[in-house]
Amino acid sequence: MRKRTGNRYSYTVLLACSLVIAASVQVTGFVRAETNENDICQEIRLKSAVNTDWVSCAENEMGRTSGSADGTEKDFVKGTASGLRTGPEQEADREPVAFQADTSYFDDALFIGDSRTVGLSEYGDLGNAEVVADSGMNVHEIFDKNFVTRSGEKKSLERILSENRFGKIYLMLGINELGYDFDYTVAKYGKLVEKLQETQPDALIFLQANLHVTAGKSAASGIYNNENIDRFNQAVKQLADNRKLYYLDVNELFDDETGSLSEAYTADNAHVLGIYYADWVEWLLEHGYR
């Protein structure tokens, strides 16, 4: 009898130990699974810190979309499937879209230029745009002069830029600089563009090509000729990134078959007649971006 009791006691102890071990294994596995899930949740939160539109791990068990029939792991963070981005980051990377605009497009625009821009302002309809332009103006003197603003007050370009927020800036300078050192002028033009970007970071900047002169005027001048104009225009074009800086060449509207300003559009071989500035403005509106 004593021997049988001992065996029964040993069996009972062994059974109890087995149950304890089994329970420990189950608990350990649960803790590990919970830990792994928490680790994944934490990783998702870290990766999604820049995007407030992420889905909690409670709704996406172990990275799987809740309610998903096939349990696939796509869309484990809302809005980030296949590398897609949403919110401000996506908006910042969005490329502007070209469209046909109306005159209201110029309501938040600034035009900077020389006598050609003066012509656009006087003979074309620029709506409520601000215009900073003068005959003979160039990149070397653009910050030295006060301009009459729409309010009637005279202000420098620097002050105008500091007091306003523009959505678009149209820049057309270069014809009056052809007598200066080319590299020096290009560098000054680039500095002007940098200044515009710095003071108006949200604006689309349109770099307008300089208008050609007629073939006769081009042949008669060693400085103000179409070869030099094209050289400068190409340097301007290199600055464009087609995201915030756009290059616009209106010469396609007024050139003849030789690539010179058509004599049918001009009286002085360098500027278009007043009636054609309206066509120029319409051309600009056909090349709007938003």
Side-chain angles (χ1 to χ4, degrees), residues 93-258:
D93 290 343
R94 182 182 65 83
E95 292 189 13
V97 178
F99 76 110
Q100 169 69 58
D102 57 36
T103 308
S104 65
Y105 186 69
F106 296 141
D107 285 351
D108 63 349
L110 169 66
F111 282 77
I112 303 173
D114 49 37
S115 56
R116 275 78 176 274
T117 301
V118 172
L120 279 173
S121 177
E122 293 181 349
Y123 300 105
D125 184 4
L126 297 182
N128 295 316
E130 190 69 81
V131 179
V132 171
D134 194 19
S135 296
M137 186 49 59
N138 57 71
V139 295
H140 307 291
E141 301 174 354
I142 190 65
F143 288 107
D144 299 333
K145 181 180 174 63
N146 289 328
F147 302 87
V148 179
T149 62
R150 286 185 55 80
S151 66
E153 185 180 359
K154 282 191 173 183
K155 298 179 181 180
S156 66
L157 174 58
E158 189 152 12
R159 182 179 172 188
I160 292 171
L161 292 172
S162 67
E163 294 180 350
N164 298 275
R165 284 293 173 265
F166 298 104
K168 306 103 187 171
I169 299 177
Y170 290 82
L171 176 63
M172 184 177 181
L173 290 170
I175 187 71
N176 297 312
E177 295 88 328
L178 294 182
Y180 291 82
D181 178 78
F182 177 79
D183 293 332
Y184 177 65
T185 299
V186 170
K188 289 286 287 187
Y189 187 100
K191 289 293 185 182
L192 172 57
V193 172
E194 289 178 4
K195 180 70 172 180
L196 297 178
Q197 290 179 304
E198 175 187 339
T199 56
Q200 302 292 323
D202 298 324
L204 295 178
I205 301 177
F206 297 95
L207 309 176
Q208 295 194 79
N210 287 276
L211 201 65
H212 288 145
V213 296
T214 60
K217 182 175 180 64
S218 180
S221 176
I223 296 177
Y224 301 102
N225 55 58
N226 289 329
E227 181 180 356
N228 287 338
I229 293 172
D230 285 337
R231 184 187 181 199
F232 189 82
N233 284 346
Q234 284 301 308
V236 169
K237 185 177 182 179
Q238 295 304 310
L239 299 176
D241 60 13
N242 295 321
R243 295 183 66 83
K244 297 287 284 188
L245 289 169
Y246 289 89
Y247 177 73
L248 298 180
D249 190 351
V250 74
N251 283 300
E252 68 178 46
L253 189 63
F254 300 120
D255 274 357
D256 60 19
E257 64 278 2
T258 70

Side-chain angles (χ1 to χ4, degrees), residues 98 262 268:
S262 173
D268 66 358

Side-chain angles (χ1 to χ4, degrees), residues 211-216 253-258 260-277 279:
L211 201 65
H212 288 145
V213 296
T214 60
L253 189 63
F254 300 120
D255 274 357
D256 60 19
E257 64 278 2
T258 70
S260 303
L261 176 61
S262 173
E263 293 185 1
Y265 293 120
T266 182
D268 66 358
N269 301 309
H271 300 79
V272 296
L273 293 168
I275 60 173
Y276 296 116
Y277 280 102
D279 296 333

